Amino acid sequence: MKFSEEKLKKVNEIIARYPDGKQKSALIPILHIAQEENNGWLDVTTMDHVAIMLNILPIEVYEVATFYSMFNLKPVGKHVFEVCRTGPCMLNGSDDIIQYIKDKLGINEGETTSDGLFTLKPAECLGACGYAPMMQLGKHYREHLTKEKVDLIIDECRRNAAKNN
Amino acid sequence: MKITINNNIFEAQENDTVLDVARRNDIYIPTLCYHVKTGQTAKCRACVVDVEGMRGMQTSCNLKVRDGMNVHTDTKEVQEAQKMVVDLMLASGYHNCLACERSGTCELQDACYHLGIEKSTYKDAPTGRKDESSEFIVIDFDKCIKCGRCVNICNNRVVNEVLGFGYRGKETEIMCDDDVAMGLSTCVQCGECVQICPTGALTDKKSRGKGRDAQFEKVDTTCPYCGTGCQLTLHVDKAKNKVVRVTGRDEWPNNGMLCVKGRYGFEFHASPKRLQYPLIKKNGKHEQATWDEALDLITEKIKTTVGKYGPDVFSALGSGRITNENNYAIQKFTRAVVKTNNIDHCARTCHAPTVAGLAHAFGSGAATNSVDEILETDLIFVIGSNMTEAHPVVSYYVKQAVKNGSRMIVCDPRRVDIAHWANLYVPLKVGTDVPFLNGLINEIIQNNWHNEAFMKNNTENPEDLKEWIKEYPVEKASEICGVPVEQMKQVAKLLGTAEKVSVIYCLGITEHTTGTDNVKTIANLQMVLGHLGKRGCGVNPLRGQNNVQGACDMGALPNVYHNYISVKDEKTKEKIEKHWGVSGLSLKEGYKLPTMLHKATTGDTKILFCVGDNTVQTEPNMAKTIQEVKALEFLVVIDIFENATTDFADVILPDVCFNEDFGTYSNLDRRVHLLRKAVNPPGEAKPTWWIMNELGKRLGVDLKFTSAEATWEDMRATGTIMGGITYERIQHKGLQWPCPTVTHPGTPILHTNGKFTRGKGLFSHTQYRSQAEMPDKEYPFVLSTGRRLWHYHTGTQTRNSIGLENIFPEELLEISPVDAARMHIKSGDMVKATSRRGEITVKAWVTERSPEGVVWCTFHFREAHANILTNDAYDNVTETPEYKACAIRIEKVSEGVETVSRGFRQARP
């Protein structure tokens, strides 16, 4: 595990925000960066590396990484569908959306398609109840989801992947 | 101050919590997360009470008392609140006591009992999840109440840093490392988490189904493994005459903590392989005999041989494994009955240079300070000690100290695990301790970091040192020991500027041909720095065996009687003769162990008594040792198991082991601890003092050994430094010698106020001498040897206990990744290691612990034994062999499968 130069600069910037001996405070933002750098998930080597950077125990990193659902502890696909399933979204049909994605991609919750493109990861409230049902894809929200919209999103992702290849 | 609890007024101290006062006065408040060792967490909220004038319920475990406080623990509201907490806890998992190991000692069960909870009001949610992957510990996740005691103790007290809380909410659970099965994690199975767990979530696998706690008798005693002298409680099934469980006692030096061997390596005592009857060799085979036959034969042999050739053809070996009483018995027998001083023991192979070196410099050859003081030191200087494996409980204190802000320097050619916690790890070349330390001393004096006043007032020859140390400028030292100049300067500065320095060393210092010089140089360093005679300072050798300190104290040495009384002094001789009721004690110093053996081949040693000493496997160059043992006319071995040495014995006598008789051990900080009888010995096994007494009788001397205590009392009558230690005084807590009178409180720190036992401290001029056998073209590797966490010595105890062998079943030769890559060796491949003295075939383990050019293995396994290879070159003062360095070559024999090597820290980049 190694941070790119640009990211390392950012990491050091974050660490420097905290007084000596309190570097542990920088853990969550750094784990986010580490996850980005490591194909969207945290493996043990990455977490150990962060522990060393912050001079804390590896177990302290594992505790935080397992606590927050935003950190993935298993490899994930290129596109992670974080579909909200909390109250308002559920009332607006998130169950159906989740089921539709499952059927269409042939995966269960928490699983990744064999081509490594998609991961389905139900999420708790993402604070966008007015646009229910919704999901987070990368850094963007996709709102008022319908089956047709899901089809479009999937096609879009596939097209992007093909283009990048 | 005074506080009121339930309308009664109680005395309270500043800093007391409400819980403290309640407990002192027998008022029950349920506590689940709070434990005196892990401190206040106020997490479980079972301990809530009502305090007048404060809003809501207060957690009593972290509520400091105030004068006039008025507390209620028994109102309906409080009881309901406590009940609710415990009720919810029951619902968080599946708490059914029917088949639970912890039933009877469970704190959750106690809380329910006191609060009158028959069953949970809520629905149980059993998951049935258990982790049974580890050898000794079972985790039952359904019984975990998430109190966090185990997490705290694992990270802050034993500092193994394995357990943590993972996930969140309802899914929160205890996890090992990154949530792997305990058996695959870095857990070293010390079992401290089991001891602290309030429920049945963490239990010992071994005692599962063996019985309820209440049916076992608890016997307090001392651990039979390393020299730390941990206090433990044996849980004994009297009907089966077996130990079922072991727990640590909350007493110095271990404060409840134990290691994997101490806690789980106990079944050897009940092994069917134990020696049970005397055996006499007839026609090349050992045949069962009666005690009378065996003792008569020995008597006859001693009478005729000694009668014909004189007493010096008799030699005896005591042991660092047996009790003080038994060591005293064998030395008294040798001296008072046979009338020779040819008595020695295995300290010759380990810490004899410590005894000689420190006695020379300070006047007393033992650790100067106590284990617990490590927590108060400023800088810990560890050199030549693999303490996380060889002295795990000492390492807990060291790690705790570092965690609390002490700094640590670790110097060792191998990257031993303790280096993981060090501020500075210094890899020096094997066998270059003298130039390394001299370079540091030089640098310290150059920079004026030395303690001029201490040197001037409390040492004899400071000016000499200042003169000759100039021969070791740091640049020259650096060249010899391979440590960069900058790093040496850094070490010197840390040492020179620290407030308190405690030097801890072990066999990496002593087991060299320069062993005594190495020790003397360490003494020089501490005298230069003036860190002696104060708390948290000193020179602290970690004695290797449970009673190797005691064997020295008891005079199982060729030059001194018990309590280091010289054999050459006419006056003391008379005094001892008078007390022992004999005459003609020898004034001549006896043979040291290697000499005894060597003289067998020239016919000058004819009879050898080995008590608890597996000589064949523990001496270097096994082929030579076997020749020597074979050359003996008559070999008597007193031991608990058959071993490589009993093969050659003419008579084998069965000894008792640590829990089959009373006795005492002296630990590494000079503390004398009591051992208690817990079970009956197997067959006709007898203690050594009984055997010696019987032989004495047959040879016409009454040795007065009627019991272990009588033997101790006989020692005490002429004992100087231990004269004040009686069994009665050490029933609960050990006493540290010197303790000359029965009212003396014992001596935790030697040489206080700069007054050394010998008067003024003595600097010794030490010179660099290279190891006896340097690597060359033909034998390019340096082989160093040592001990592993999971095993102990020649394996007689650990390999006859259940489980340890499963974790570490065979010897591994540790080799550096660089050498391995060059030779196309990978972990698991079989390699042949050859020295000028022999060869072994052993599995390789490629690890960064080994530096380039150095390989390492142990002497635990008879199948691939380091001592077939080791060099019989000796320290010129003490005849301690150079186990830490010999030259070998390595060839790959075949491909193989890697053995899982667990419990080791990966080196941090």
Side-chain angles (χ1 to χ4, degrees):
Chain A
M1 161 70 197
K2 237 184 129 184
F3 286 104
S4 66
E5 213 160 284
E6 172 206 352
K7 290 286 158 80
L8 191 64
K9 213 176 126 201
K10 201 165 166 200
V11 164
N12 287 329
E13 227 175 78
I14 297 170
I15 297 177
R17 283 182 206 158
Y18 302 97
D20 230 15
K22 303 279 180 198
Q23 270 72 19
K24 192 181 174 183
S25 308
L27 180 54
I28 291 177
I30 289 175
L31 279 180
H32 276 297
I33 298 174
Q35 180 161 288
E36 267 174 53
E37 293 277 278
N38 193 50
N39 300 322
W41 72 291
L42 295 170
D43 59 0
V44 176
T45 330
T46 307
M47 290 192 278
D48 287 354
H49 184 76
V50 172
I52 293 159
M53 287 185 89
L54 298 177
N55 199 18
I56 58 178
L57 300 179
I59 190 84
E60 294 178 283
V61 181
Y62 310 149
E63 286 183 331
V64 169
T66 57
F67 187 90
Y68 291 103
S69 59
M70 293 78 130
F71 298 122
N72 300 315
L73 300 170
K74 281 193 301 192
V76 290
K78 205 162 159 27
H79 306 284
V80 182
F81 291 169
E82 295 179 67
V83 188
C84 176
R85 63 174 175 195
T86 309
C89 278
M90 195 191 80
L91 291 172
N92 281 289
S94 65
D95 283 355
D96 292 342
I97 298 293
I98 290 173
Q99 191 56 48
Y100 183 71
I101 297 173
K102 278 187 189 170
D103 293 343
K104 184 159 169 110
L105 296 176
I107 50 173
N108 263 318
E109 290 175 10
E111 288 180 357
T112 302
T113 52
S114 53
D115 59 3
L117 271 186
F118 301 103
T119 299
L120 173 62
K121 184 179 163 190
E124 303 308 336
C125 187
L126 292 165
C129 313
Y131 314 102
M134 59 78 68
M135 70 166 156
Q136 184 176 353
L137 177 59
K139 285 182 175 164
H140 299 280
Y141 280 1
R142 300 298 178 104
E143 296 150 353
H144 298 302
L145 294 178
T146 58
K147 289 178 184 172
E148 293 71 30
K149 265 198 179 168
V150 169
D151 284 342
L152 286 174
I153 293 169
I154 289 173
D155 285 348
E156 178 194 323
C157 292
R158 285 198 171 128
R159 262 202 315 279
N160 282 345
K163 209 162 44 187
N164 290 341
N165 279 343
Chain B
M1 70 179 83
K2 287 190 166 47
I3 69 164
T4 310
I5 305 179
N6 303 340
N7 303 322
N8 293 315
I9 297 169
F10 298 106
E11 198 61 48
Q13 308 296 322
E14 191 96 16
N15 288 329
D16 268 348
T17 61
V18 170
L19 180 67
D20 292 334
V21 181
R23 285 203 168 159
R24 266 208 304 275
N25 295 292
D26 284 335
I27 298 166
Y28 179 78
I29 298 175
T31 51
L32 291 163
C33 69
Y34 172 82
H35 188 281
V36 74
K37 285 185 188 170
T38 51
Q40 315 154 351
T41 54
K43 205 186 226 163
C44 75
R45 309 199 77 78
C47 68
V48 288
V49 295
D50 188 34
V51 182
E52 271 176 33
M54 294 179 91
R55 272 181 62 200
M57 299 278 177
Q58 302 293 321
T59 44
S60 58
C61 71
N62 68 340
L63 182 63
K64 288 256 159 67
V65 291
R66 268 185 292 105
D67 198 25
M69 210 176 217
N70 196 355
V71 182
H72 295 281
T73 71
D74 57 356
T75 61
K76 192 159 173 283
E77 289 76 19
V78 172
Q79 296 274 314
E80 283 303 317
Q82 293 179 348
K83 240 177 163 168
M84 173 66 92
V85 169
V86 175
D87 201 350
L88 283 167
M89 227 163 244
L90 288 178
S92 71
Y94 186 61
H95 296 281
N96 184 329
C97 309
L98 295 179
C100 182
E101 274 304 305
R102 192 73 72 169
S103 183
T105 54
C106 173
E107 292 170 47
L108 183 62
Q109 197 184 41
D110 283 352
C112 292
Y113 174 79
H114 283 280
L115 296 168
I117 302 175
E118 293 266 6
K119 64 189 279 253
S120 173
T121 324
Y122 308 97
K123 214 176 134 203
D124 292 328
T127 63
R129 216 162 92 69
K130 275 188 188 182
D131 181 351
E132 303 190 13
S133 61
S134 89
E135 200 58 48
F136 300 119
I137 300 169
V138 181
I139 312 180
D140 183 339
F141 293 96
D142 279 343
K143 294 202 169 82
C144 176
I145 56 169
K146 282 92 181 173
C147 64
R149 281 188 197 175
C150 58
V151 174
N152 184 311
I153 210 128
C154 185
N155 290 287
N156 297 326
R157 281 183 66 93
V158 291
V159 202
N160 289 323
E161 299 173 351
V162 178
L163 288 172
F165 275 119
Y167 310 98
R168 66 170 166 183
K170 200 164 104 271
E171 270 107 48
T172 307
E173 65 177 37
I174 299 302
M175 64 177 184
C176 298
D177 290 342
D178 52 310
D179 198 15
V180 293
M182 186 179 249
L184 299 172
S185 71
T186 52
C187 172
V188 290
Q189 307 275 297
C190 73
E192 185 68 6
C193 55
V194 174
Q195 187 160 332
I196 201 99
C197 180
T199 70
L202 287 156
T203 49
D204 290 329
K205 202 185 243 183
K206 282 195 168 179
S207 52
R208 248 190 333 191
K210 297 262 170 71
R212 295 287 191 204
D213 187 72
Q215 76 196 59
F216 303 134
E217 190 178 307
K218 315 288 188 293
V219 181
D220 291 344
T221 190
T222 307
C223 179
Y225 286 104
C226 80
T228 311
C230 294
Q231 294 302 293
L232 37 85
T233 303
L234 305 176
H235 299 239
V236 186
D237 187 334
K238 277 280 167 186
K240 294 199 174 113
N241 199 40
K242 266 183 184 173
V243 175
V244 175
R245 256 185 100 200
V246 173
T247 48
R249 270 179 73 208
D250 290 326
E251 198 50 80
W252 289 113
N254 55 316
N255 272 322
M257 301 184 288
L258 293 175
C259 73
V260 65
K261 295 188 286 282
R263 197 182 295 273
Y264 299 117
F266 55 80
E267 289 101 335
F268 69 89
H269 86 88
S271 164
K273 289 196 235 156
R274 280 283 300 276
L275 290 167
Q276 305 196 11
Y277 303 96
L279 301 169
I280 295 176
K281 198 172 223 171
K282 285 178 189 155
N283 306 321
K285 264 168 85 187
H286 286 123
E287 287 176 19
Q288 189 175 327
T290 64
W291 274 104
D292 278 337
E293 282 167 356
L295 294 173
D296 287 345
L297 175 66
I298 296 169
T299 310
E300 190 50 41
K301 200 74 201 173
I302 292 177
K303 265 187 190 158
T304 53
T305 315
V306 170
K308 195 165 164 197
Y309 301 101
D312 288 344
V313 295
F314 178 94
S315 285
L317 294 175
S319 172
R321 314 296 299 283
I322 60 176
T323 61
N324 281 327
E325 289 69 12
N326 290 338
N327 273 306
Y328 177 74
I330 178 80
Q331 75 105 3
K332 186 177 174 188
F333 173 81
T334 308
R335 291 183 159 128
V337 180
V338 188
K339 306 233 166 49
T340 173
N341 286 318
N342 293 342
I343 167 85
D344 205 353
H345 73 284
C346 46
R348 192 61 55 205
T349 64
C350 60
H351 269 297
T354 295
V355 179
L358 296 186
H360 181 81
F362 305 151
S364 178
T368 61
N369 291 56
S370 310
V371 174
D372 51 299
E373 292 170 38
I374 295 170
L375 294 173
E376 296 169 28
T377 194
D378 182 27
L379 179 68
I380 305 168
F381 186 72
V382 178
I383 182 161
S385 163
N386 180 13
M387 59 171 73
T388 52
E389 295 198 70
H391 298 89
V393 174
V394 173
S395 83
Y396 304 156
Y397 285 107
V398 169
K399 291 186 280 184
Q400 267 180 43
V402 172
K403 210 151 183 140
N404 296 338
S406 304
R407 289 163 301 161
M408 171 161 66
I409 303 171
V410 173
C411 311
D412 204 303
R414 296 170 65 229
R415 201 192 157 87
V416 286
D417 287 3
I418 192 69
H420 180 80
W421 285 269
N423 299 70
L424 192 61
Y425 164 60
V426 185
L428 69 166
K429 281 190 201 156
V430 175
T432 59
D433 307 272
V434 166
F436 173 67
L437 293 165
N438 278 346
L440 295 179
I441 295 172
N442 188 337
E443 180 72 9
I444 286 165
I445 291 177
Q446 294 270 319
N447 284 289
N448 234 354
W449 289 320
H450 61 286
N451 189 334
E452 182 65 36
F454 187 91
M455 287 175 75
K456 203 168 148 207
N457 300 331
N458 305 315
T459 64
E460 235 172 77
N461 48 349
E463 296 312 315
D464 293 354
L465 172 103
K466 283 183 188 167
E467 199 47 46
W468 67 256
I469 201 76
K470 288 182 189 149
E471 297 162 27
Y472 287 92
V474 70
E475 290 77 17
K476 180 183 160 190
S478 155
E479 208 167 288
I480 304 172
C481 67
V483 180
V485 173
E486 274 318 301
Q487 200 174 37
M488 286 201 62
K489 286 187 172 169
Q490 202 184 348
V491 176
K493 187 169 180 190
L494 279 167
L495 284 169
T497 54
E499 222 163 272
K500 287 176 175 181
V501 178
S502 173
V503 177
I504 301 178
Y505 72 87
C506 195
L507 303 185
I509 285 293
T510 59
E511 285 181 348
H512 283 289
T513 44
T514 55
T516 308
D517 281 352
N518 290 351
V519 173
K520 285 177 180 170
T521 316
I522 288 180
N524 285 353
L525 173 72
Q526 280 297 61
M527 287 193 288
V528 165
L529 293 169
H531 291 311
L532 283 160
K534 299 181 285 188
R535 276 192 78 81
C537 295
V539 176
N540 300 299
L542 301 179
R543 303 303 298 254
Q545 295 170 314
N546 48 350
N547 197 34
V548 72
Q549 180 68 52
C552 296
D553 300 345
M554 289 299 114
L557 290 169
N559 58 338
V560 288
Y561 292 108
H562 49 288
N563 291 197
Y564 307 96
I565 303 161
S566 171
V567 295
K568 290 188 195 159
D569 187 348
E570 190 81 45
K571 265 196 191 135
T572 50
K573 180 191 129 178
E574 276 167 27
K575 192 180 146 205
I576 289 185
E577 278 177 346
K578 194 166 153 228
H579 175 68
W580 283 357
V582 294
S583 61
L585 292 181
S586 171
L587 281 165
K588 198 175 82 182
E589 201 171 290
Y591 304 145
K592 300 186 179 88
L593 204 168
T595 308
M596 282 177 192
L597 291 175
H598 182 65
K599 283 193 181 286
T601 50
T602 56
D604 295 319
T605 301
K606 294 192 185 296
I607 304 179
L608 180 67
F609 263 52
C610 278
V611 187
D613 189 296
N614 186 356
T615 316
V616 167
Q617 281 188 313
T618 50
E619 293 304 302
N621 191 358
M622 200 186 288
K624 177 171 161 260
T625 314
I626 289 174
Q627 262 180 13
E628 290 164 346
V629 171
K630 274 186 178 162
L632 290 165
E633 232 179 80
F634 195 65
L635 173 65
V636 180
V637 178
I638 304 177
D639 216 315
I640 60 171
F641 283 104
E642 279 189 349
N643 56 38
T645 308
T646 56
D647 292 352
F648 303 95
D650 296 281
V651 179
I652 306 173
L653 302 175
D655 204 350
V656 300
C657 76
F658 82 108
N659 57 359
E660 293 162 352
D661 188 22
F662 287 85
T664 54
Y665 288 157
S666 308
N667 81 338
L668 52 79
D669 59 11
R670 301 169 274 107
R671 218 181 291 255
V672 181
H673 287 126
L674 195 64
L675 288 167
R676 288 186 176 83
K677 182 172 173 166
V679 294
N680 293 317
E684 292 174 7
K686 293 279 186 194
T688 303
W689 55 258
W690 180 89
I691 299 169
M692 293 304 146
N693 201 48
E694 289 298 307
L695 287 173
K697 258 194 241 165
R698 283 169 167 79
L699 289 159
V701 180
D702 178 14
L703 291 169
K704 296 180 235 165
F705 305 149
T706 49
S707 68
E709 189 166 4
T711 311
W712 179 259
E713 286 300 311
D714 188 57
M715 184 288 298
R716 210 166 66 80
T718 44
T720 49
I721 52 174
M722 294 165 112
I725 303 175
T726 63
Y727 274 25
E728 203 191 318
R729 290 187 74 192
I730 55 173
Q731 285 292 324
H732 301 292
K733 198 175 180 169
L735 269 172
Q736 286 168 289
W737 65 255
C739 179
T741 62
V742 286
T743 49
H744 193 284
T747 312
I749 306 170
L750 295 179
H751 322 303
T752 44
N753 304 321
K755 288 192 186 69
F756 289 97
T757 312
R758 70 183 292 280
K760 280 188 169 186
L762 184 67
F763 287 110
S764 316
H765 187 168
T766 54
Q767 289 284 18
Y768 172 57
R769 281 178 289 131
S770 65
Q771 65 196 58
E773 192 180 46
M774 290 299 269
D776 53 25
K777 247 190 175 155
E778 203 182 345
Y779 298 96
F781 284 95
V782 174
L783 171 76
S784 204
T785 68
R787 207 194 260 175
R788 293 198 192 279
L789 174 64
W790 316 105
H791 286 286
Y792 188 73
H793 287 201
T794 54
T796 39
Q797 284 163 283
T798 49
R799 298 189 76 189
N800 283 309
S801 292
I802 300 162
L804 294 164
E805 183 95 335
N806 294 344
I807 296 180
F808 210 95
E810 59 191 330
E811 186 54 73
L812 300 178
L813 184 75
E814 297 187 14
I815 179 166
S816 81
V818 181
D819 292 321
R822 189 165 43 77
M823 301 174 69
H824 307 291
I825 293 170
K826 59 174 180 29
S827 285
D829 289 350
M830 296 304 286
V831 295
K832 190 167 86 178
T834 314
S835 77
R836 290 188 174 85
R837 294 154 294 277
E839 60 170 59
I840 59 171
T841 306
V842 59
K843 211 172 235 192
W845 177 18
V846 181
T847 166
E848 276 155 9
R849 285 157 38 114
S850 268
E852 212 179 324
V854 176
V855 292
W856 186 88
C857 70
T858 72
F859 61 120
H860 301 316
F861 294 87
R862 200 173 174 170
E863 306 87 285
H865 206 283
N867 283 333
I868 294 172
L869 307 173
T870 47
N871 189 7
D872 50 318
Y874 300 96
D875 175 48
N876 51 356
V877 181
T878 60
E879 296 186 21
T880 296
E882 189 157 62
Y883 292 106
K884 297 297 184 203
C886 72
I888 66 162
R889 71 163 175 264
I890 295 168
E891 294 144 88
K892 181 166 161 177
V893 178
S894 61
E895 301 271 319
V897 188
E898 183 173 7
T899 315
V900 184
S901 40
R902 292 182 297 202
F904 296 104
R905 293 277 155 185
Q906 290 303 311
R908 280 192 174 195

